[in-house]
Amino acid sequence: QNNGKGGLISATRYVATHHSPWVLLRGMDACIHREVKYCIGQFAAIGFVESALKRWSEANHDTNSLALQLHENASLRILASSMSVGFMCTVISQPDDVVKTRMQSHLPPSRASSSSAAKGAASGAASDSAAERVYQKYRGYLASFRTVSAEEGVAALWRGWVW
């Protein structure tokens, strides 16, 4: 969320000048967790599912029209196994995507608001402390995972699928 900061370059410049440039890497650990689950899951499961579909289609091709199509068409069998494994990996890696998004959308208090709080602005100090509390809840991968699960329930880790 760039909160009205303009396009990609403007938002990146704003984050880099008002926060530490390291904040641009926020959520990278959640991205790595998601990609490892997704890529290794697809790599490991696609051959297994394709061979299971092949065995099923060989056993049932005389009684089931779908099995007959899968038995006769290897491309269709590979497509069906790829789609089912892709869906499965997406479901498994969805919580990491939710955590990554929360980490990236809850940035630390900006340097500009910290300097105004240091000058004695009471409302700035109050909003800074609230921003700091929210930032601390989503500070790292595991902390963000626990925060979402505890405050919104485990089902919130799959938010975006149905609601």
Side-chain angles (χ1 to χ4, degrees):
Q1 297 175 346
N2 68 9
N3 296 324
K5 304 296 185 278
L8 177 65
I9 294 172
S10 300
T12 305
R13 187 178 304 125
Y14 175 83
V15 169
T17 57
H18 288 79
H19 300 283
S20 163
W22 289 106
V23 83
L24 296 172
L25 297 177
R26 214 166 136 69
M28 186 65 71
D29 47 352
C31 287
I32 291 169
H33 281 271
R34 180 191 63 198
E35 291 305 314
V36 165
K37 288 176 189 173
Y38 201 87
C39 295
I40 290 177
Q42 278 195 330
F43 180 75
I46 199 157
F48 174 75
V49 171
E50 197 270 332
S51 65
L53 277 176
K54 185 176 182 179
R55 284 192 309 273
W56 176 79
S57 67
E58 287 171 353
N60 297 304
H61 71 275
D62 53 346
T63 60
N64 188 316
S65 63
L66 176 61
L68 178 62
Q69 289 177 5
L70 289 172
H71 180 67
E72 293 176 348
N73 191 343
S75 297
L76 182 61
R77 192 171 52 245
I78 291 169
L79 177 66
S81 60
S82 299
M83 289 174 61
S84 60
V85 169
F87 177 77
M88 177 185 65
C89 289
T90 301
V91 169
I92 291 170
S93 64
Q94 175 69 19
D96 295 311
D97 204 37
V98 170
V99 167
K100 172 197 66 81
T101 302
R102 298 296 173 85
M103 289 174 70
Q104 290 175 338
S105 63
H106 293 89
L107 298 176
S110 68
R111 288 185 238 157
S113 61
S114 297
S115 64
S116 69
K119 292 177 185 174
S123 64
S127 67
D128 258 7
S129 63
E132 182 64 30
R133 281 193 305 272
V134 171
Y135 169 68
Q136 289 299 327
K137 290 190 325 185
Y138 297 101
R139 187 171 184 95
Y141 175 74
L142 291 177
S144 300
F145 208 93
R146 281 191 296 266
T147 298
V148 172
S149 299
E151 291 183 359
E152 301 174 48
V154 175
L157 293 169
W158 284 271
R159 184 151 296 187
W161 276 79
V162 178
W163 72 102

